[in-house]
Amino acid sequence: MWLHFTFHQNPIGKGVVNEVGPYIKELGYKKALLVTDKFIEGSDILPKVLKPLNAEGIEYVIFSDVEPNPTCKNVTEGVTALEEHGCDFIISLGGGSPQDAASCISIIATNGGKPQDYEGLHKSAKKGLPVVAINTTAGTSAEITINYVITDEERKVKMVMVDKNSLALISVNDPELMLSKPKGLTAATGMDALTHAVEALVTPGAYNVTKKLSIGAIELIKEYLPRAVANGQDIEAREAMVNAIFLGSMSFNNAGLGYVHSMAHQLGAVYNLPHGVCCAMLLPVV
Ligand SMILES: [Zn+2]
């Protein structure tokens, strides 16, 4: 069982994205492959993230070709971009898809091979290239967990990778980056977060600490998810949801998940559905 209770590495709260530039400079990294998607590239989120990088003179190359369910092709192209531009670390910016793609790019950058080589449990030999994971949704927890999911487009299968070497260097959860998130996405990712907390509560791997974390997450989601969906600009609700996903992710990162996620990944792969929608439909299975 892998324990990841590292609060100090995970800045949470309004304005914490501004700490990213000085933090990277202190560590001495020079050039990032910034892994994101087309929506975020064209949104007001990107300038908020680039500002602290520019202020510290940190270089970056934007790779925005990640699809909603990231594919092996997305990952392979990301690795090529990273190598061509000589990047020495990765910034992942987005919800589950850019985070998952960045995790796989990071692992291949140091271990070589192709995405299929890492399907399953702890298949890599070396730690991945450092990832600064900046989350823009409140739900998938992909920025803070050791799990990632890549679609093998030829086999039409979602490959689940669980790999301690893929854990991000830091994960950044700033609710100010989530204010423009559309209602549908807020609801879907919020239901994903609720599913994580519920599954981790009832799974055989649950124990006293993870159960408390799950219950804390469920209480926050019950109160604040309806508010975040009703009014995306409700910063108090957005911040509470960020705290909820953090609690829930620490729970399932240690206790594990269950049948809903096993089925949701396959449903998403076959019908190309958003992960949170699959979880919401299947949650009664728990
Ligand atoms: Zn999930």
Side-chain angles (χ1 to χ4, degrees), residues 192 196 261 275 279:
D192 186 23
H196 294 155
H261 269 74
H275 173 65
C279 288

Side-chain angles (χ1 to χ4, degrees), residues 139-141 192-193 195-196 199 252 257 261 264-265 275-276 279:
T140 67
S141 295
D192 186 23
T195 310
H196 294 155
E199 278 194 282
F252 87 81
L257 290 171
H261 269 74
H265 289 315
H275 173 65
C279 288

Side-chain angles (χ1 to χ4, degrees), residues 109-286:
T110 54
N111 287 273
K114 55 188 189 307
Q116 289 88 341
D117 298 338
Y118 301 99
E119 185 176 6
L121 291 176
H122 308 295
K123 292 285 178 69
S124 68
K126 297 181 208 159
K127 268 205 169 309
L129 201 67
V131 177
V132 173
I134 304 176
N135 185 22
T136 61
T137 68
T140 67
S141 295
E143 76 288 349
I144 205 169
T145 58
I146 58 171
N147 316 313
Y148 60 96
V149 180
I150 302 295
T151 299
D152 183 333
E153 54 272 57
E154 285 182 16
R155 288 189 292 152
K156 280 199 182 313
V157 168
K158 276 199 171 192
M159 301 182 292
V160 178
M161 288 83 154
V162 180
D163 190 343
K164 62 188 185 302
N165 287 331
S166 73
L167 189 68
L169 188 64
I170 56 165
S171 74
V172 180
N173 276 281
D174 187 335
E176 288 183 343
L177 299 181
M178 302 170 186
L179 296 174
S180 56
K181 195 164 69 153
K183 264 186 203 304
L185 189 61
T186 301
T189 52
M191 289 305 290
D192 186 23
L194 178 63
T195 310
H196 294 155
V198 172
E199 278 194 282
L201 183 63
V202 300
T203 187
Y207 57 100
N208 55 357
V209 175
T210 59
K211 285 179 183 175
K212 296 270 188 214
L213 293 166
S214 277
I215 290 167
I218 292 165
E219 285 172 350
L220 282 172
I221 294 167
K222 178 173 170 279
E223 185 171 353
Y224 289 100
L225 179 57
R227 273 177 57 176
V229 173
N231 174 15
Q233 297 295 314
D234 185 339
I235 188 74
E236 191 190 358
R238 292 287 194 196
E239 190 152 36
M241 284 302 297
V242 156
N243 288 325
I245 58 159
F246 185 64
L247 292 173
S249 61
M250 283 194 298
S251 178
F252 87 81
N253 222 12
N254 291 280
L257 290 171
Y259 288 133
V260 171
H261 269 74
S262 302
M263 289 189 281
H265 289 315
Q266 304 320 322
L267 199 62
V270 174
Y271 297 106
N272 204 24
L273 287 169
H275 173 65
V277 172
C278 298
C279 288
M281 287 191 298
L282 293 165
L283 186 55
V285 171
V286 175

Side-chain angles (χ1 to χ4, degrees), residues 49 53 57 115 258:
V49 172
L53 300 180

